[in-house]
């Protein structure tokens, strides 16, 4: 009897919770460097993805970061003001830059 | 050397470096040394973790000794962060609409009971797999070579569903959308469009992977399976199929997953190709799963090099292995038991007779005679797509 019950459970349900209660995806803190402008990134860059995306790019020229933030604004419609954009690019170049302008 | 001579040569050398960085774009081996994270994601073992929101998980090299990738080590790639965390299996449907005679709302029960059930073993590989091979870095996640896997998929044929809905005469494009949503209402949704002519009998809507339910992170409860194609169109949590006569301009179709539309599919950072095309089918590729970078192996020991090879379904003919910097190549033994869309396993016996560093290289050749090239000969492209260079692992013979 027990066996039969087990089989039906396996057939109807899935192994896990996503069918009966929400599944939980762990939160990972991808920390970025604490420096001038970090608050502006905190406010503008976490809406759509984690900082993992930023750290993963490695050290890059200023133009790279400028274009990246532009991509977020034009293609993905990130609501970022001109002033914030400058603060963000300055921050990224200073902390995740390779010293080259382009 | 005189001091002045030294200056001269170093100027020339740095000009060469600058030149290659700024104008040409170079290709090298991808980064394969990233560590798995300490935190495992739901239904997964710990993997290389690029992001939690949306989840981006890469498999470590060591899993590519096997022809089937375990579900709990299968890579994960989502574009948009708002992924439903709960699925009601009774009310879940795929809606088929647009240029059809009869709109359908197919439930999971109907899918499993009212249609012929089919299986296909196929490789799923991100178009940007191995992207870290390109300099300067192209947009996107800097994957090593673990954004791929091979599984046995079970589900129903897309064509059976489309036939039941009945395509109208002018039907030409099929759009696929899943339940994942952007976090911001203005960000474009991730929708894929394929031409009807691209969709053959092998395309299925799968609910099982390796005889288990799809893992949540791999698209539970349903995803599209397009054998031979890069994974950008294997839509996860598939919910809508829309048939149209005209191509609908979409950001992720028009800008993402495209490559230079020329013979070499290459371009340079300074001279980007004007015309681009979707990445579509996969190029021939192989990966060494064992040994791994910097491993120590004993002199005169019997080392078995193992890995996997695949292409777009043309089929792997040979995998050649070199242990002398590519001067000579020997044929590896192949195991092909899961059909032409799957990983071919290869193994190669190697007895290291010289002490020191040895480079082990693997090169796959498909049935049309198309062979992998060295990394440096793969043209750079702005999206960092389709890298398929000869794999190289360096070991120390002690």
């Amino acid at each position: 009897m027990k066996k039969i019950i087990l089989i039906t459970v396996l057939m109807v349900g899935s192994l896990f919770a996503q069918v009966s209660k929400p599944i939980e995806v762990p939160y990972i803190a991808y920390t970025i460097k604490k420096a001038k402008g970090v608050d502006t990134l905190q406010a503008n860059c976490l809406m759509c993805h984690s900082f993992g995306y930023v750290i993963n790019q490695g050290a890059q020229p200023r133009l790279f970061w400028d274009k990246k933030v532009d991509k977020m604004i034009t293609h993905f419609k990130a609501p970022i003001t001109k002033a914030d954009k400058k603060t963000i690019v300055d921050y990224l170049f200073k902390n995740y830059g390779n010293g080259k302008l382009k | 050397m005189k001091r002045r001579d030294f200056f001269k040569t170093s100027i020339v050398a740095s000009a060469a470096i600058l030149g290659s960085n700024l104008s040409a774009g170079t290709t090298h081996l991808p980064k394969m040394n990233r560590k798995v994270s300490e935190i495992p994601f739901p239904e997964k073992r710990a993997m290389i973790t690029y992001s939690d929101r949306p989840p981006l998980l890469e498999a470590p090299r060591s899993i590519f000794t096997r022809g089937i990738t375990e579900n709990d080590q299968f890579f994960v790639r989502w574009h948009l962060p708002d992924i439903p965390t709960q699925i009601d299996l009774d009310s879940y449907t795929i809606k088929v609409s647009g240029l059809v005679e009869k709109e359908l709302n197919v439930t999971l029960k109907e899918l499993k009971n009212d249609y012929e059930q089919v299986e296909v073993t196929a490789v799923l590989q991100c178009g940007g797999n191995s992207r870290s091979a390109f300099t300067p870095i192209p947009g996107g996640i800097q994957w090593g070579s673990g954004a791929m896997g091979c599984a046995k998929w079970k589900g129903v044929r897309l064509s059976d569903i489309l036939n039941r809905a009945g395509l109208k005469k002018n039907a030409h494009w099929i759009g696929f959308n899943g339940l994942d949503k952007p976090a911001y209402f203005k960000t474009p949704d991730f929708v894929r469009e394929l031409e009807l002519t691209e969709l053959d009998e092998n395309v299925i809507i799968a609910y099982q992977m390796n005889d288990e339910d799809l893992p949540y992170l791999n698209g539970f409860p349903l995803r599209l399976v397009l054998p031979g194609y890069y994974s950008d169109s294997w839509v996860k949590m598939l919910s809508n199929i829309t048939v149209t006569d005209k191509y609908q301009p979409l950001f992720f179709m028009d800008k993402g997953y495209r490559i230079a539309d020329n013979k070499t599919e290459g371009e340079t950072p300074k001279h980007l190709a004007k015309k681009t095309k979707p990445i579509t089918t996969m190029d021939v590729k192989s990966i060494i799963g064992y040994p791994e970078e910097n491993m120590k192996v004993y002199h005169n020991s019997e080392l078995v090099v193992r890995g996997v090879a695949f292409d777009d379904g043309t089929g792997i003919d040979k995998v050649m292995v070199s242990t002398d910097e590519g001067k000579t190549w020997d044929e590896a033994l192949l195991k092909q038991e899961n059909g032409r869309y799957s990983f071919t396993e290869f193994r190669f016996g190697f007895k290291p007779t010289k002490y020191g560093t040895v480079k082990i290289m693997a090169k796959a050749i498909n049935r049309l005679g198309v062979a992998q090239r060295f990394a440096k000969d793969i043209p750079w492209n702005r999206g960092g797509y389709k890298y398929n260079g000869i794999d190289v692992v360096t070991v120390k013979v002690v």
Side-chain angles (χ1 to χ4, degrees), chain A residues 18 20 23 28 50 56 76, chain B residues 52-53 85-87 142 187:
Chain A
Q18 59 264 40
S20 52
I23 202 158
I28 296 185
S50 68
N56 185 239
F76 302 133
Chain B
D52 56 345
R53 260 148 262 263
T85 52
Q86 187 167 4
I87 302 284
Q142 300 303 301
T187 307

Side-chain angles (χ1 to χ4, degrees), chain A residues 12-16 18-30 47-50 52-53 56-58 60 64 68 71 75-79 100 102, chain B residues 21-22 34 39-43 49-54 56 77-78 81 85-87 89 137 139-142 183-184 186-188 213 216 220 251-252 255:
Chain A
V12 184
S14 93
L15 195 56
F16 273 113
Q18 59 264 40
V19 283
S20 52
K21 53 179 190 292
I23 202 158
E24 273 183 51
V25 177
Y27 172 77
I28 296 185
Y30 287 90
M47 182 194 229
C48 308
H49 52 73
S50 68
Y53 275 73
N56 185 239
Q57 306 293 294
Q60 297 297 337
F64 174 94
K68 254 327 139 193
K71 180 178 176 185
H75 291 317
F76 302 133
K77 313 291 172 205
K100 293 185 189 144
K102 46 181 195 172
Chain B
N21 274 345
L22 290 182
R34 294 192 179 91
I39 304 170
F41 276 56
E43 300 164 81
T49 307
Y50 293 96
S51 166
D52 56 345
R53 260 148 262 263
L56 299 173
R77 196 313 185 214
W78 294 79
T85 52
Q86 187 167 4
I87 302 284
L89 294 181
I137 74 161
I141 296 301
Q142 300 303 301
Y184 185 53
K186 283 185 181 164
T187 307
D213 293 328
Y216 167 72
F220 182 85
F251 169 78
F252 281 103
K255 297 277 190 283

Side-chain angles (χ1 to χ4, degrees), chain B residues 62 178 274 354:
Chain B
S62 58
K274 288 220 173 68
K354 267 189 258 163

Side-chain angles (χ1 to χ4, degrees), chain B residues 153-373:
Chain B
W153 310 92
K154 180 175 180 186
V156 309
R157 284 188 201 97
L158 175 68
S159 56
D160 288 350
I161 293 178
L162 293 179
N163 283 343
R164 204 164 293 189
L167 292 178
K168 292 209 167 137
K169 268 217 180 77
N170 49 346
H172 189 81
W173 289 90
I174 318 273
F176 299 93
N177 198 0
L179 289 182
D180 50 328
K181 292 271 166 302
Y184 185 53
F185 72 104
K186 283 185 181 164
T187 307
D189 201 357
F190 190 77
V191 180
R192 305 305 294 171
E193 284 176 288
L194 293 167
E195 266 186 290
L196 207 46
T197 48
E198 289 181 283
L199 300 166
D200 62 15
E201 293 280 286
N202 293 308
V203 176
I204 70 171
I205 294 172
Y207 55 85
Q208 265 189 11
M209 195 173 153
N210 297 330
D211 302 315
E212 295 172 359
D213 293 328
L214 291 179
Y216 167 72
L217 291 171
N218 292 108
F220 182 85
L222 292 174
R223 82 178 301 166
L224 197 62
V225 168
L226 288 154
Y229 281 73
Y230 288 101
S231 64
D232 47 295
S233 295
W234 295 43
V235 173
K236 297 179 285 300
M237 279 191 196
L238 181 66
S239 57
N240 289 81
I241 298 176
T242 315
V243 184
T244 57
D245 53 349
K246 285 195 194 73
Y247 173 80
Q248 317 288 309
L250 297 162
F251 169 78
F252 281 103
M253 286 299 295
D254 292 345
K255 297 277 190 283
Y257 298 108
R258 298 180 77 89
I259 198 154
D261 189 3
N262 59 35
K263 233 181 170 173
T264 65
E265 298 186 338
E267 56 191 344
T268 66
K270 273 240 173 100
H271 300 281
L272 297 177
K274 288 220 173 68
K275 251 182 89 193
T276 61
K277 60 184 179 190
I279 55 174
T280 66
T281 55
M282 298 192 287
D283 288 335
V284 60
K285 185 163 178 170
S286 65
I287 288 288
I288 297 167
Y290 186 88
E292 293 184 55
E293 196 66 13
N294 293 326
M295 268 185 176
K296 280 184 189 142
V297 301
Y298 278 119
H299 180 252
N300 273 343
S301 60
E302 317 276 342
L303 181 67
V304 182
V305 178
R306 286 178 189 273
V308 295
F310 63 98
D311 68 351
D312 61 354
T314 304
I316 295 301
D317 182 32
K318 282 189 194 102
V319 176
M320 308 299 287
V321 176
S322 172
T323 54
D324 60 1
E325 312 267 329
K327 280 184 222 104
T328 58
W329 296 84
D330 291 305
E331 222 172 310
L333 295 176
L334 305 186
K335 188 154 107 188
Q336 300 181 298
E337 50 192 25
N338 294 318
R340 63 196 177 100
Y341 292 112
S342 67
F343 276 160
T344 288
E345 281 180 28
F346 68 86
R347 67 199 151 94
F348 179 80
F350 169 53
K351 192 165 179 166
T353 52
K354 267 189 258 163
Y355 290 99
T357 308
V358 175
K359 282 190 176 145
I360 302 170
M361 302 179 175
K363 169 169 74 175
I365 303 166
N366 75 6
R367 293 204 184 118
L368 291 175
V370 181
Q372 284 182 267
R373 294 166 289 175

